[in-house]
Amino acid sequence: MIKNLGLLIVLTLITSSIFAQTNIRKGSSSYGTVLYNWDGENLRQGSSSYGSVIINWDGENIRKGSSSYGTVLYNWDGENLRKGSSSYGTVLYNWDGENIRKGSSSYGSVLYNYDGENIRKGSSSYGSVLYNTDGKIPTAILIYVIE
């Protein structure tokens, strides 16, 4: 009985973290209005997990709406965001694990930095917070939201 209860608790924790919703808010307050929410696949405006899907993501491609068969708006290779589905196209933005820059150069001006919770303009980790997140969200989706 106790073994089953322990297993149930573990499964509940795993399931709740898998289906957790990440919210994106303007500024640094975790109590502000939710601008967007992310469920791991779909981005929606506001806090409702039942609202219209703005974009969806399969881990590589960003498409408009909820269809996984629609036209690819952008593709992501883990470091570079490109327009369309070609992995050989022009790099719009790049990510080095902390900083977001325009184009493919890792030496260009830093547009934004992201520490896993706060998005700030420029390279300073002490600047004003533009947006905050309360969970994990792919960098490609963040770039889509802030740009």
Side-chain angles (χ1 to χ4, degrees), residues 13-86:
L13 290 172
I14 290 171
T15 304
S16 65
S17 68
I18 290 172
F19 296 109
Q21 177 177 305
T22 297
N23 295 310
I24 302 169
R25 295 177 173 89
K26 192 166 184 88
S28 60
S29 174
S30 59
Y31 298 105
T33 303
V34 175
L35 300 175
Y36 301 97
N37 75 79
W38 172 254
D39 66 9
E41 184 179 335
N42 299 304
L43 182 73
R44 294 177 173 88
Q45 195 160 9
S47 60
S48 173
S49 58
Y50 298 104
S52 296
V53 175
I54 299 170
I55 58 167
N56 73 82
W57 191 57
D58 62 11
E60 182 180 341
N61 297 308
I62 297 173
R63 293 178 171 88
K64 189 170 187 151
S66 59
S67 174
S68 59
Y69 297 104
T71 302
V72 175
L73 299 175
Y74 302 98
N75 74 81
W76 176 253
D77 64 11
E79 185 178 320
N80 299 302
L81 185 69
R82 295 176 174 90
K83 190 168 184 117
S85 59
S86 174

Side-chain angles (χ1 to χ4, degrees), residues 107-121:
Y107 298 105
S109 296
V110 175
L111 296 175
Y112 306 99
N113 70 81
Y114 178 58
D115 62 10
E117 183 180 335
N118 296 308
I119 301 134
R120 294 178 172 90
K121 195 168 184 88

Side-chain angles (χ1 to χ4, degrees), residues 73-75 80-84 89-94 100-105 111 143 147:
L73 299 175
Y74 302 98
N75 74 81
N80 299 302
L81 185 69
R82 295 176 174 90
K83 190 168 184 117
T90 302
V91 175
L92 301 174
Y93 298 94
N94 76 79
I100 298 169
R101 294 178 174 88
K102 199 166 193 109
S104 60
S105 174
L111 296 175
I143 293 170
E147 285 296 301

Side-chain angles (χ1 to χ4, degrees), residues 115-132:
D115 62 10
E117 183 180 335
N118 296 308
I119 301 134
R120 294 178 172 90
K121 195 168 184 88
S123 60
S124 173
S125 58
Y126 298 105
S128 295
V129 175
L130 297 175
Y131 301 97
N132 74 82

